[in-house]
Coordinates of all heavy atoms in Angstrom, one line a residue:
M24 N 216.5 65.8 124.1 CA 216.6 67.0 123.1 C 216.9 66.4 121.9 O 217.9 65.8 121.5 CB 217.7 67.9 123.6 CG 217.8 69.1 122.8 SD 218.9 70.5 123.5 CE 220.4 69.5 123.9
D25 N 216.0 66.7 120.8 CA 216.1 66.2 119.5 C 217.4 66.6 118.8 O 217.8 67.7 118.9 CB 214.9 66.8 118.6 CG 213.7 66.0 118.9 OD1 213.7 65.0 119.7 OD2 212.7 66.4 118.3
G26 N 218.1 65.7 118.1 CA 219.2 65.9 117.3 C 220.5 66.0 118.2 O 221.5 66.2 117.6
Y27 N 220.4 65.7 119.5 CA 221.6 65.8 120.3 C 221.7 64.7 121.3 O 220.7 64.1 121.5 CB 221.6 67.1 121.1 CG 221.9 68.3 120.4 CD1 221.0 68.9 119.6 CD2 223.2 69.0 120.4 CE1 221.2 70.1 118.8 CE2 223.5 70.1 119.6 CZ 222.5 70.7 118.9 OH 222.8 71.8 118.1
V28 N 223.0 64.3 121.6 CA 223.2 63.2 122.5 C 224.0 63.8 123.7 O 225.0 64.4 123.6 CB 224.0 62.2 121.8 CG1 224.4 61.0 122.8 CG2 223.4 61.6 120.6
K29 N 223.5 63.4 124.9 CA 224.3 63.8 126.1 C 225.5 62.9 126.2 O 225.5 61.7 126.2 CB 223.4 63.6 127.4 CG 224.1 64.2 128.6 CD 223.0 64.4 129.7 CE 222.5 63.0 130.2 NZ 221.7 63.2 131.4
I30 N 226.6 63.7 126.3 CA 228.0 62.9 126.5 C 228.6 63.0 127.7 O 229.5 62.1 128.0 CB 229.0 63.3 125.4 CG1 229.2 65.0 125.5 CG2 228.4 63.1 124.0 CD1 230.6 65.3 125.0
A31 N 228.4 64.1 128.5 CA 229.2 64.1 129.7 C 228.6 65.2 130.7 O 227.8 66.1 130.1 CB 230.7 64.4 129.4
R32 N 229.2 65.3 131.9 CA 228.8 66.5 132.7 C 230.0 67.4 132.3 O 231.2 67.0 132.1 CB 228.7 66.1 134.2 CG 227.6 65.4 134.6 CD 227.4 65.5 136.1 NE 228.7 65.4 136.8 CZ 229.3 64.3 137.2 NH1 228.6 63.1 136.9 NH2 230.4 64.3 137.8
K33 N 229.7 68.8 132.5 CA 230.7 69.7 132.1 C 232.0 69.4 133.1 O 233.1 69.7 132.6 CB 230.2 71.1 132.3 CG 231.0 72.2 131.8 CD 230.4 73.5 131.8 CE 231.3 74.5 131.2 NZ 230.9 75.9 131.4
D34 N 231.8 69.2 134.3 CA 232.9 69.0 135.2 C 233.8 67.7 134.9 O 234.9 67.5 135.5 CB 232.5 69.0 136.7 CG 231.6 67.9 137.1 OD1 231.4 66.9 136.3 OD2 231.1 67.9 138.2
Q35 N 233.3 66.9 133.9 CA 234.1 65.7 133.6 C 235.2 66.0 132.5 O 236.0 65.3 132.2 CB 233.2 64.5 133.1 CG 232.4 64.0 134.2 CD 231.4 63.0 133.7 OE1 230.7 63.2 132.8 NE2 231.3 61.9 134.4
L36 N 234.9 67.2 131.8 CA 235.9 67.7 130.9 C 237.0 68.6 131.4 O 236.7 69.5 132.1 CB 235.1 68.4 129.7 CG 234.0 67.7 129.0 CD1 233.3 68.6 128.1 CD2 234.4 66.5 128.3
K37 N 238.2 68.2 131.2 CA 239.3 69.0 131.8 C 239.5 70.2 130.8 O 239.4 70.1 129.6 CB 240.6 68.2 131.8 CG 240.5 67.0 132.8 CD 241.8 66.3 132.9 CE 241.7 65.1 133.8 NZ 242.6 64.0 133.6
S38 N 239.9 71.3 131.5 CA 240.3 72.5 130.8 C 241.6 72.3 130.0 O 242.6 71.5 130.4 CB 240.5 73.6 131.8 OG 240.7 74.8 131.1
S39 N 241.5 72.8 128.7 CA 242.6 72.8 127.8 C 243.1 71.3 127.5 O 244.3 71.2 127.4 CB 243.8 73.6 128.4 OG 243.4 74.9 128.6
S40 N 242.2 70.5 127.4 CA 242.6 69.1 126.9 C 241.4 68.5 126.3 O 240.2 69.0 126.4 CB 243.2 68.2 128.0 OG 242.1 67.8 128.9
G41 N 241.6 67.4 125.6 CA 240.5 66.7 124.9 C 240.2 65.3 125.4 O 241.1 64.8 126.0
V42 N 239.0 64.8 125.1 CA 238.6 63.5 125.3 C 238.0 62.9 124.1 O 237.5 63.6 123.3 CB 237.6 63.3 126.5 CG1 238.3 63.8 127.8 CG2 236.4 64.1 126.2
S43 N 238.0 61.6 123.9 CA 237.4 60.9 122.8 C 236.1 60.3 123.3 O 236.2 59.6 124.4 CB 238.3 59.9 122.2 OG 237.6 59.2 121.1
V44 N 235.0 60.5 122.7 CA 233.8 60.0 123.1 C 233.1 59.3 121.9 O 233.0 59.9 120.8 CB 232.8 61.2 123.5 CG1 231.5 60.7 123.9 CG2 233.4 62.0 124.7
N45 N 232.5 58.1 122.1 CA 231.8 57.5 121.1 C 230.4 58.0 121.0 O 229.7 57.8 122.1 CB 231.9 55.9 121.3 CG 231.3 55.2 120.0 OD1 230.1 55.3 119.8 ND2 232.1 54.5 119.4
V46 N 230.0 58.6 120.0 CA 228.7 59.2 119.9 C 228.0 58.4 118.8 O 228.2 58.6 117.6 CB 228.7 60.7 119.6 CG1 227.2 61.2 119.5 CG2 229.4 61.4 120.6
E47 N 227.2 57.4 119.3 CA 226.4 56.7 118.4 C 227.2 56.0 117.2 O 226.9 56.1 116.0 CB 225.2 57.4 117.8 CG 224.3 57.8 118.9 CD 223.0 58.4 118.4 OE1 222.8 58.7 117.3 OE2 222.0 58.5 119.3
G48 N 228.4 55.5 117.6 CA 229.3 54.8 116.7 C 230.3 55.7 116.0 O 231.2 55.3 115.3
E49 N 230.3 57.0 116.3 CA 231.3 57.9 115.7 C 232.2 58.4 116.8 O 231.7 58.8 117.9 CB 230.5 59.2 115.1 CG 231.4 60.2 114.5 CD 231.9 59.8 113.1 OE1 231.3 59.1 112.3 OE2 233.0 60.2 112.8
E50 N 233.5 58.3 116.5 CA 234.4 58.8 117.6 C 234.5 60.5 117.3 O 234.9 60.9 116.3 CB 235.8 58.2 117.3 CG 235.9 56.8 117.7 CD 235.6 56.4 119.1 OE1 236.0 57.2 120.0 OE2 234.7 55.5 119.4
V51 N 234.1 61.1 118.5 CA 234.1 62.5 118.5 C 235.1 63.0 119.5 O 235.2 62.4 120.6 CB 232.7 63.0 118.9 CG1 232.7 64.6 118.9 CG2 231.8 62.6 117.7
A52 N 236.0 64.0 119.2 CA 237.0 64.6 120.0 C 236.3 65.9 120.6 O 235.8 66.6 119.9 CB 238.2 64.9 119.3
V53 N 236.3 65.9 122.0 CA 235.7 67.0 122.7 C 236.7 67.7 123.4 O 237.4 67.1 124.2 CB 234.5 66.5 123.6 CG1 233.7 67.7 124.2 CG2 233.5 65.7 122.8
F54 N 236.8 69.1 123.3 CA 237.7 69.9 124.0 C 237.1 71.0 124.8 O 236.1 71.6 124.3 CB 238.6 70.6 122.9 CG 239.4 69.6 122.1 CD1 238.8 69.1 120.9 CD2 240.7 69.2 122.4 CE1 239.6 68.2 120.0 CE2 241.4 68.3 121.6 CZ 240.9 67.8 120.5
Q55 N 237.6 71.3 125.9 CA 237.2 72.5 126.7 C 238.4 73.4 126.7 O 239.5 73.1 127.2 CB 236.8 72.1 128.1 CG 236.3 73.3 128.9 CD 235.5 73.0 130.1 OE1 234.7 73.7 130.5 NE2 235.8 71.8 130.7
I56 N 238.1 74.6 126.0 CA 239.2 75.7 125.9 C 238.7 77.0 126.3 O 237.7 77.4 125.7 CB 239.7 75.7 124.5 CG1 240.2 74.4 123.9 CG2 240.8 76.7 124.3 CD1 240.4 74.2 122.5
D57 N 239.3 77.5 127.4 CA 238.8 78.8 127.8 C 237.3 79.0 128.0 O 236.7 79.9 127.7 CB 239.2 79.9 126.8 CG 240.7 80.0 126.7 OD1 241.4 79.7 127.7 OD2 241.2 80.6 125.7
G58 N 236.7 77.8 128.6 CA 235.3 77.8 128.9 C 234.5 77.4 127.7 O 233.2 77.1 127.8
D59 N 235.1 77.4 126.5 CA 234.3 76.9 125.2 C 234.4 75.4 125.1 O 235.5 74.8 125.4 CB 234.9 77.5 123.9 CG 234.7 79.0 123.9 OD1 233.7 79.5 124.5 OD2 235.6 79.7 123.2
I60 N 233.3 74.7 124.7 CA 233.4 73.3 124.5 C 233.2 73.1 123.0 O 232.2 73.6 122.4 CB 232.4 72.5 125.4 CG1 232.7 72.8 126.7 CG2 232.4 71.0 124.9 CD1 231.6 72.1 127.7
L61 N 234.2 72.4 122.4 CA 234.3 72.3 120.9 C 234.3 70.8 120.6 O 235.0 70.0 121.2 CB 235.4 73.0 120.4 CG 235.5 74.4 120.6 CD1 236.9 75.0 120.4 CD2 234.4 75.2 119.8
A62 N 233.6 70.4 119.6 CA 233.7 68.9 119.2 C 233.9 68.7 117.6 O 233.3 69.5 116.8 CB 232.3 68.3 119.6
V63 N 234.8 67.8 117.3 CA 235.1 67.4 116.0 C 235.2 66.0 115.7 O 235.3 65.3 116.8 CB 236.4 68.2 115.5 CG1 236.3 69.7 115.5 CG2 237.5 67.6 116.4
R64 N 235.0 65.6 114.6 CA 235.2 64.2 114.3 C 236.7 63.8 114.6 O 237.6 64.6 114.3 CB 235.0 63.8 112.9 CG 235.2 62.4 112.4 CD 234.9 62.1 111.1 NE 233.4 62.0 110.9 CZ 232.8 62.3 109.8 NH1 233.4 62.6 108.7 NH2 231.4 62.1 109.8
N65 N 236.8 62.7 115.5 CA 238.2 62.4 115.9 C 238.9 61.5 114.9 O 239.5 60.6 115.3 CB 238.1 61.7 117.3 CG 239.3 61.6 118.0 OD1 240.2 62.4 117.6 ND2 239.4 60.8 119.1
T66 N 238.8 61.9 113.6 CA 239.5 61.0 112.6 C 240.4 62.0 111.8 O 239.8 62.9 111.0 CB 238.5 60.3 111.7 OG1 237.7 59.4 112.6 CG2 239.2 59.5 110.8
C67 N 241.6 62.0 111.9 CA 242.4 62.9 111.1 C 242.3 62.6 109.6 O 242.4 61.5 109.2 CB 243.9 62.8 111.5 SG 245.0 64.0 110.7
P68 N 242.1 63.6 108.7 CA 241.9 63.3 107.3 C 243.2 62.9 106.6 O 243.2 62.5 105.5 CB 241.4 64.6 106.7 CG 241.8 65.7 107.7 CD 241.8 65.0 109.1
H69 N 244.3 62.9 107.3 CA 245.7 62.5 106.7 C 245.6 61.1 106.6 O 245.6 60.5 105.5 CB 246.7 63.1 107.5 CG 248.1 62.7 106.9 ND1 249.2 62.3 107.8 CD2 248.6 62.5 105.7 CE1 250.2 62.0 107.0 NE2 249.9 62.1 105.8
Q70 N 245.8 60.3 107.7 CA 245.9 58.9 107.7 C 244.9 58.3 108.5 O 245.0 57.0 108.9 CB 247.3 58.4 107.9 CG 248.3 58.7 106.8 CD 249.6 58.1 106.9 OE1 249.9 57.4 108.0 NE2 250.5 58.3 106.0
H71 N 243.9 58.9 108.9 CA 242.7 58.4 109.5 C 242.9 57.9 110.9 O 242.1 57.1 111.4 CB 241.9 57.4 108.7 CG 241.7 57.9 107.4 ND1 240.8 58.9 107.0 CD2 242.3 57.7 106.2 CE1 240.8 59.2 105.8 NE2 241.8 58.5 105.2
F72 N 244.0 58.3 111.7 CA 244.2 57.9 113.0 C 243.1 58.6 113.8 O 242.7 59.8 113.5 CB 245.6 58.2 113.5 CG 246.6 57.3 112.9 CD1 247.4 57.6 111.8 CD2 246.9 56.1 113.6 CE1 248.4 56.8 111.3 CE2 247.8 55.2 113.2 CZ 248.7 55.6 112.0
Q73 N 242.7 58.0 114.9 CA 241.7 58.7 115.8 C 242.3 59.2 117.1 O 242.0 58.7 118.1 CB 240.5 57.8 116.0 CG 239.8 57.3 114.7 CD 238.5 56.6 114.9 OE1 238.6 55.6 115.6 NE2 237.5 56.9 114.2
L74 N 243.2 60.1 117.0 CA 244.1 60.5 118.1 C 244.0 62.0 118.3 O 244.8 62.6 119.0 CB 245.5 60.1 118.0 CG 245.6 58.5 118.1 CD1 247.1 58.1 117.8 CD2 245.3 58.1 119.5
L75 N 243.2 62.8 117.6 CA 243.1 64.2 117.7 C 242.9 64.7 119.1 O 243.4 65.7 119.5 CB 242.1 64.8 116.7 CG 242.5 64.7 115.2 CD1 241.3 64.9 114.3 CD2 243.6 65.6 114.9
H76 N 242.2 63.9 119.9 CA 241.8 64.3 121.3 C 243.1 64.4 122.1 O 243.1 65.0 123.2 CB 240.8 63.4 121.9 CG 241.3 62.0 122.1 ND1 241.6 61.1 121.0 CD2 241.6 61.3 123.2 CE1 242.1 59.9 121.5 NE2 242.2 60.0 122.9
Q77 N 244.2 63.7 121.7 CA 245.5 63.7 122.4 C 246.4 64.8 121.8 O 247.5 65.0 122.2 CB 246.2 62.3 122.4 CG 245.5 61.3 123.0 CD 246.1 59.9 122.8 OE1 247.2 59.8 122.3 NE2 245.5 59.0 123.4
G78 N 245.9 65.5 120.8 CA 246.8 66.5 120.2 C 247.1 67.8 121.1 O 246.3 68.1 121.9
E79 N 248.2 68.4 120.7 CA 248.6 69.6 121.4 C 247.7 70.8 120.9 O 247.4 70.9 119.8 CB 250.0 70.0 121.1 CG 250.6 71.1 121.8 CD 252.1 71.2 121.7 OE1 252.8 70.2 121.3 OE2 252.5 72.4 121.7
L80 N 247.3 71.5 122.0 CA 246.5 72.7 121.7 C 247.3 73.9 121.7 O 248.3 74.1 122.4 CB 245.3 72.8 122.8 CG 244.3 71.7 122.9 CD1 243.5 71.8 124.0 CD2 243.4 71.8 121.6
D81 N 246.9 74.8 120.8 CA 247.4 76.2 120.6 C 246.3 77.1 120.4 O 245.7 77.2 119.3 CB 248.4 76.2 119.4 CG 249.0 77.5 119.1 OD1 248.8 78.4 120.0 OD2 249.6 77.7 118.0
G82 N 245.8 77.8 121.4 CA 244.5 78.5 121.4 C 243.4 77.6 121.0 O 243.2 76.5 121.6
H83 N 242.6 77.9 119.9 CA 241.5 77.0 119.4 C 242.1 76.0 118.3 O 241.1 75.5 117.6 CB 240.4 77.8 119.0 CG 239.7 78.4 120.2 ND1 240.0 79.6 120.7 CD2 238.6 77.9 120.9 CE1 239.3 79.9 121.7 NE2 238.4 78.9 121.8
A84 N 243.3 75.8 118.1 CA 243.8 74.9 117.2 C 244.4 73.5 117.8 O 244.9 73.6 119.0 CB 244.8 75.6 116.4
V85 N 244.3 72.5 117.1 CA 244.9 71.3 117.6 C 245.8 70.8 116.6 O 245.5 70.9 115.4 CB 243.8 70.2 118.0 CG1 243.0 69.8 116.8 CG2 244.3 69.0 118.8
T86 N 246.9 70.1 117.0 CA 247.8 69.5 116.1 C 247.8 68.0 116.2 O 247.8 67.5 117.5 CB 249.3 70.0 116.4 OG1 249.4 71.4 116.3 CG2 250.3 69.3 115.5
C87 N 247.5 67.3 115.2 CA 247.5 65.8 115.2 C 248.8 65.3 115.8 O 249.9 65.6 115.2 CB 247.2 65.2 113.9 SG 247.1 63.5 113.8
P88 N 248.7 64.4 116.7 CA 250.0 63.9 117.3 C 250.8 63.0 116.4 O 252.0 62.6 116.5 CB 249.6 63.1 118.5 CG 248.2 62.8 118.4 CD 247.5 63.9 117.4
M89 N 250.2 62.5 115.3 CA 250.8 61.5 114.4 C 251.9 62.2 113.5 O 253.0 61.8 113.4 CB 249.8 60.7 113.5 CG 248.9 59.9 114.4 SD 249.8 58.8 115.5 CE 250.6 57.6 114.3
H90 N 251.4 63.2 112.7 CA 252.3 63.8 111.6 C 252.2 65.3 111.7 O 252.7 65.9 110.7 CB 252.1 63.2 110.3 CG 252.0 61.7 110.3 ND1 250.6 61.1 110.3 CD2 252.9 60.7 110.3 CE1 250.9 59.7 110.2 NE2 252.1 59.6 110.3
G91 N 251.5 65.9 112.6 CA 251.5 67.3 112.8 C 250.5 68.1 111.9 O 250.7 69.4 111.8
W92 N 249.5 67.5 111.3 CA 248.5 68.4 110.7 C 247.8 69.1 111.7 O 247.5 68.6 112.8 CB 247.6 67.5 109.8 CG 248.1 67.0 108.5 CD1 249.4 66.9 108.2 CD2 247.4 66.7 107.3 NE1 249.5 66.4 106.9 CE2 248.3 66.4 106.4 CE3 246.0 66.7 107.1 CZ2 247.9 65.9 105.2 CZ3 245.6 66.2 105.9 CH2 246.5 65.8 104.9
K93 N 247.4 70.4 111.4 CA 246.9 71.3 112.4 C 245.5 71.8 112.0 O 245.3 72.0 110.7 CB 247.8 72.4 112.6 CG 247.5 73.3 113.7 CD 248.7 74.3 114.0 CE 248.5 75.1 115.1 NZ 249.6 76.1 115.3
F94 N 244.5 71.8 112.8 CA 243.2 72.2 112.5 C 242.6 73.3 113.4 O 242.9 73.2 114.7 CB 242.3 70.9 112.6 CG 242.8 69.8 111.8 CD1 243.7 68.8 112.3 CD2 242.4 69.7 110.3 CE1 244.1 67.8 111.5 CE2 242.9 68.7 109.7 CZ 243.8 67.7 110.2
D95 N 241.8 74.1 112.9 CA 241.0 75.1 113.8 C 239.8 74.3 114.3 O 239.0 73.9 113.5 CB 240.6 76.3 112.9 CG 239.8 77.3 113.6 OD1 239.1 77.0 114.5 OD2 240.0 78.5 113.2
L96 N 239.6 74.2 115.6 CA 238.6 73.4 116.1 C 237.3 74.1 116.0 O 236.2 73.5 116.1 CB 238.9 73.2 117.7 CG 240.0 72.1 117.9 CD1 240.4 72.2 119.3 CD2 239.7 70.8 117.4
Q97 N 237.2 75.5 115.8 CA 236.0 76.2 115.7 C 235.4 76.0 114.3 O 234.2 75.9 114.2 CB 236.2 77.7 116.0 CG 236.5 77.9 117.5 CD 236.9 79.3 117.8 OE1 237.7 79.9 117.2 NE2 236.2 79.9 118.8
T98 N 236.3 75.9 113.3 CA 235.7 75.8 111.9 C 236.0 74.4 111.4 O 235.3 74.0 110.3 CB 236.4 76.8 111.1 OG1 237.9 76.5 110.9 CG2 236.2 78.2 111.6
G99 N 236.9 73.7 111.9 CA 237.3 72.4 111.4 C 238.3 72.5 110.2 O 238.8 71.4 109.6
R100 N 238.6 73.7 109.8 CA 239.5 73.9 108.6 C 241.0 73.6 109.0 O 241.4 73.8 110.1 CB 239.5 75.3 108.2 CG 238.2 75.7 107.6 CD 238.3 76.9 106.6 NE 236.9 77.2 106.1 CZ 236.2 78.3 106.7 NH1 236.8 79.1 107.7 NH2 235.1 78.5 106.2
G101 N 241.6 72.9 108.0 CA 243.0 72.7 108.1 C 243.8 73.9 108.1 O 243.4 74.8 107.4
I102 N 245.0 74.0 108.9 CA 245.9 75.2 108.9 C 247.1 74.6 108.2 O 247.8 73.8 108.7 CB 246.0 75.7 110.3 CG1 244.7 76.0 111.0 CG2 247.1 76.8 110.4 CD1 244.9 76.2 112.4
A103 N 247.3 75.1 107.0 CA 248.6 74.8 106.2 C 248.6 73.4 105.8 O 249.7 72.8 105.7 CB 249.8 75.3 106.9
N104 N 247.3 72.7 105.8 CA 247.2 71.4 105.2 C 245.9 71.2 104.7 O 245.0 72.0 105.0 CB 247.6 70.3 106.3 CG 247.0 70.5 107.7 OD1 247.5 71.0 108.6 ND2 245.6 70.2 107.8
S105 N 245.7 70.3 103.7 CA 244.5 70.4 102.9 C 243.2 69.8 103.5 O 242.1 70.2 103.2 CB 244.8 69.6 101.7 OG 245.2 68.3 102.0
G106 N 243.3 68.9 104.4 CA 242.1 68.3 105.0 C 241.4 69.1 106.0 O 242.0 70.0 106.7
N107 N 240.1 68.8 106.2 CA 239.3 69.5 107.2 C 238.6 68.4 108.1 O 238.5 67.3 107.7 CB 238.2 70.3 106.5 CG 238.8 71.4 105.6 OD1 239.7 72.1 105.9 ND2 238.3 71.5 104.3
L108 N 238.2 69.0 109.2 CA 237.4 68.0 110.1 C 236.0 68.5 110.1 O 235.6 69.6 110.1 CB 238.0 68.3 111.6 CG 239.4 68.0 111.8 CD1 239.7 68.3 113.3 CD2 239.7 66.4 111.6
R109 N 235.1 67.4 110.4 CA 233.7 67.8 110.5 C 233.5 68.3 112.0 O 234.1 67.7 112.9 CB 232.9 66.5 110.3 CG 231.4 66.9 110.4 CD 230.6 65.8 110.9 NE 229.2 65.7 110.7 CZ 228.2 66.4 111.4 NH1 228.6 67.3 112.2 NH2 227.0 66.2 111.1
T110 N 232.9 69.4 112.2 CA 232.6 69.9 113.4 C 231.1 69.5 113.8 O 230.3 69.2 113.0 CB 232.6 71.5 113.4 OG1 231.7 72.0 112.5 CG2 234.1 71.9 113.2
Y111 N 231.0 69.5 115.2 CA 229.6 69.2 115.7 C 229.2 70.3 116.7 O 230.0 70.8 117.5 CB 229.7 67.9 116.5 CG 230.0 66.7 115.7 CD1 231.3 66.2 115.6 CD2 229.1 66.0 115.0 CE1 231.6 65.1 114.8 CE2 229.3 65.0 114.2 CZ 230.5 64.4 114.1 OH 230.9 63.4 113.4
A112 N 227.9 70.6 116.6 CA 227.4 71.7 117.5 C 227.4 71.0 118.8 O 227.2 69.9 119.0 CB 226.0 72.1 117.0
V113 N 227.6 72.0 119.9 CA 227.6 71.6 121.3 C 226.6 72.4 122.0 O 226.6 73.7 121.7 CB 229.0 71.7 121.8 CG1 229.0 71.5 123.4 CG2 230.0 70.8 121.1
K114 N 225.9 71.8 122.9 CA 225.0 72.7 123.8 C 225.3 72.3 125.3 O 225.4 71.0 125.5 CB 223.5 72.4 123.5 CG 223.1 73.0 122.2 CD 221.6 72.9 122.0 CE 221.1 73.5 120.6 NZ 219.7 73.4 120.5
V115 N 225.3 73.2 126.2 CA 225.5 72.9 127.5 C 224.2 73.3 128.2 O 223.7 74.6 128.1 CB 226.7 73.7 128.2 CG1 226.8 73.4 129.7 CG2 228.0 73.3 127.4
I116 N 223.5 72.4 128.8 CA 222.3 72.7 129.5 C 222.4 72.2 131.0 O 222.6 71.0 131.2 CB 221.1 71.9 128.9 CG1 221.0 72.4 127.4 CG2 219.9 72.1 129.7 CD1 220.0 71.7 126.5
G117 N 222.4 73.2 131.8 CA 222.8 73.0 133.3 C 224.2 72.5 133.2 O 225.1 73.1 132.9
D118 N 224.4 71.3 133.9 CA 225.8 70.7 134.0 C 226.1 69.7 132.8 O 227.1 69.1 132.9 CB 225.9 70.0 135.3 CG 225.9 70.9 136.5 OD1 226.3 72.1 136.4 OD2 225.5 70.4 137.6
D119 N 225.1 69.5 132.0 CA 225.2 68.5 131.0 C 225.7 69.0 129.6 O 225.3 70.1 129.2 CB 223.9 67.7 130.8 CG 223.5 66.9 132.0 OD1 224.4 66.6 132.8 OD2 222.2 66.9 132.3
V120 N 226.6 68.2 129.0 CA 227.1 68.6 127.6 C 226.5 67.7 126.7 O 226.5 66.5 126.8 CB 228.6 68.5 127.6 CG1 229.1 68.8 126.2 CG2 229.3 69.4 128.7
W121 N 226.0 68.3 125.6 CA 225.2 67.6 124.5 C 225.9 67.9 123.3 O 226.3 69.0 122.9 CB 223.8 68.0 124.4 CG 222.9 67.9 125.6 CD1 223.1 68.5 126.9 CD2 221.9 66.9 125.8 NE1 222.1 68.0 127.7 CE2 221.3 67.0 127.0 CE3 221.3 66.0 124.9 CZ2 220.2 66.3 127.4 CZ3 220.2 65.3 125.3 CH2 219.7 65.3 126.6
V122 N 226.0 66.8 122.4 CA 226.7 67.1 121.1 C 225.7 66.6 120.0 O 224.9 65.6 120.2 CB 228.0 66.0 121.1 CG1 228.5 66.0 119.6 CG2 229.0 66.7 122.0
E123 N 225.8 67.4 118.9 CA 224.9 67.1 117.8 C 225.0 65.6 117.3 O 226.2 65.1 117.3 CB 225.3 68.0 116.7 CG 224.8 67.9 115.4 CD 225.4 68.8 114.3 OE1 226.5 69.3 114.7 OE2 224.9 68.9 113.2
R124 N 224.0 64.9 117.0 CA 224.1 63.5 116.5 C 224.9 63.5 115.2 O 224.6 64.4 114.4 CB 222.6 63.0 116.2 CG 221.9 62.5 117.3 CD 220.6 61.9 116.9 NE 219.7 61.8 118.1 CZ 219.8 61.0 119.1 NH1 220.8 60.1 119.1 NH2 219.0 61.0 120.1
P125 N 225.8 62.5 115.0 CA 226.6 62.6 113.9 C 225.8 62.5 112.5 O 226.4 63.1 111.6 CB 227.4 61.2 114.1 CG 227.5 61.1 115.6 CD 226.2 61.6 116.0
E126 N 224.6 61.9 112.4 CA 224.0 61.8 111.1 C 223.3 63.0 110.8 O 222.7 63.0 109.7 CB 223.2 60.4 111.1 CG 221.9 60.5 111.9 CD 222.1 60.2 113.4 OE1 223.3 60.0 113.8 OE2 221.1 60.0 114.1
E127 N 223.1 63.9 111.7 CA 222.3 65.0 111.4 C 223.1 66.1 110.6 O 224.2 66.2 110.7 CB 221.8 65.7 112.8 CG 221.1 64.6 113.6 CD 219.7 64.7 113.8 OE1 219.1 65.8 113.5 OE2 219.0 63.7 114.0
Ligands
FES220 S1 247.2 61.0 110.8 FE1 247.1 63.2 111.5 S2 248.8 64.1 110.6 FE2 249.0 62.1 109.9

């Protein structure tokens, strides 16, 4: 599928938690929340740690485990902090999860 990379089968993603996936050299955090699959760049804009996939979830928001910056995973916007995350489009086709190529 043009513009997308297959990253996992849907059953490999745990509910209400995140994983880090290397997508063509870019670390992408992928979350399954209430049946939605959301993908963002796994690099916190604060001090650039790549640990957002381990962050605590609150609905569709994740809190960076390093210093507590919080982001809306649907929009990438920071919540009460200035930085934003790049979001990636996700498609589920059959059992496969595809993420938008980072350079697109
Ligand atoms: S690196 Fe994420 S809050 Fe500091």
